[in-house]
Amino acid sequence: MHNFDFVKPSSIAEAVAALANEDAQPVSGGQTLIPSMKARLNAPETLVSLTGIPELQGVCPDGDSLVIGAATTHATVAEQAAGHFPGLAALAGQIGDPAVRNRGTLGGSLANNDPSACYPAAVLGTGATIVTNTREIAADDYFQGMFTTALNEGEIITSVRFPIAEKSAYAKFLQPASRFALTGVFVAKYASGVRVAVTGASEIGVFRWTEAEAALSQEFSADAISGLTCSSDEMISDLHGTPEYRAHLVGVMTRRAVAAAK
């Protein structure tokens, strides 16, 4: 790993100022950034830690929504969101292993937008709002492809506002070594309809399965989508599975999520 400076600001304003420096990069849990630095795939001159900023921490109900600070760990979400949004809490509890869940953060996951990460499915599946230091971004506008988001240079995610679903669940077919989602599906039922978001399967990253949404909005049951098939176009092909296999898993995981939703 190359040498670097480390800055730990105590406010969002201090963090933004530190990130204005050339070759500065934010770090929260570091579950993606630190391994890439060890492999010398990434070499920022300055790391700006976001973990010491109180405004970025916490799980707070706000009317019909649950607001979660960007530097909140997966383990904290799994514990503190359970009484408000069980489907979201269960998703957080399936991320990685205990070490990852106690270090990794919501904002770090979303800023990185790994195509196999779990949180993007929850954010897109609930139609959540990503709040930054400068604006609010709708989930449908935020994810822009593999490892690509709507964030501008130096922009910091401060929190995420999740509309609480009537029923929800996450079903994940995990890759055993990494515990990333080979295919994961988050299903959320609202009075306005059902949203279905898929992670881990597509070359374009997380996406909504609109055909399943339409069917489930008419009848929220696993049988309602038993005849649907997700297209294998743009699905990932690797040693873990073919595009056709992943497309099949989308249907399987969606039916499992619907059956488990509560």
Side-chain angles (χ1 to χ4, degrees):
M1 187 185 295
H2 294 283
N3 291 333
F4 59 90
D5 294 326
F6 182 80
V7 179
K8 192 171 185 178
S10 59
S11 71
I12 294 173
E14 289 179 8
V16 171
L19 288 168
N21 296 326
E22 189 175 356
D23 293 324
Q25 192 162 340
V27 60
S28 192
Q31 298 304 290
T32 300
L33 179 60
I34 300 304
S36 72
M37 292 174 64
K38 288 181 176 179
R40 297 202 170 193
L41 299 173
N42 204 334
E45 292 185 2
T46 303
L47 288 185
V48 181
S49 174
L50 305 179
T51 59
I53 303 174
E55 302 104 298
L56 303 186
Q57 303 280 352
V59 177
C60 303
D62 182 16
D64 295 333
S65 298
L66 191 65
V67 180
I68 302 177
T72 306
T73 65
H74 312 322
T76 300
V77 176
E79 178 183 358
Q80 296 186 10
H84 307 285
F85 201 153
L88 178 61
L91 177 146
Q94 296 180 51
I95 297 174
D97 55 26
V100 169
R101 290 192 291 274
N102 280 285
R103 291 294 302 172
T105 64
L106 169 62
S109 175
L110 297 179
N112 187 56
N113 192 23
D114 189 292
S116 296
C118 297
Y119 268 131
V123 171
L124 189 60
T126 60
T129 300
I130 294 89
V131 182
T132 78
N133 59 303
T134 61
R135 57 180 171 148
E136 297 186 354
I137 310 171
D140 288 322
D141 299 325
Y142 178 80
F143 300 103
Q144 298 185 351
M146 189 180 293
F147 298 109
T148 306
T149 73
L151 291 175
N152 294 321
E153 191 73 24
E155 190 173 12
I156 298 172
I157 299 174
T158 58
S159 65
V160 180
R161 186 181 302 114
F162 292 92
I164 299 173
E166 296 175 357
K167 294 183 177 181
S168 66
Y170 180 60
K172 173 182 178 180
F173 192 90
L174 59 80
Q175 202 284 328
S178 67
R179 299 191 67 83
F180 273 108
L182 194 63
T183 297
V185 178
F186 192 90
V187 173
K189 181 181 183 296
Y190 295 92
S192 59
V194 177
R195 292 176 68 103
V196 178
V198 181
T199 189
S202 175
E203 293 178 343
I204 62 172
V206 65
F207 69 94
R208 290 173 62 185
W209 188 15
T210 55
E211 293 86 357
E213 292 179 346
L216 291 169
S217 294
Q218 294 295 317
E219 178 191 345
F220 192 75
S221 73
D223 291 339
I225 54 172
S226 59
L228 292 182
T229 302
C230 185
S231 172
S232 62
D233 293 345
E234 297 184 310
M235 290 294 183
I236 295 171
S237 178
D238 58 18
L239 74 165
H240 302 298
T242 63
E244 292 75 19
Y245 178 63
R246 281 186 165 85
H248 172 71
L249 282 179
V250 171
V252 173
M253 292 300 108
T254 303
R255 289 190 292 274
R256 289 184 183 180
V258 172
K262 57 183 179 180

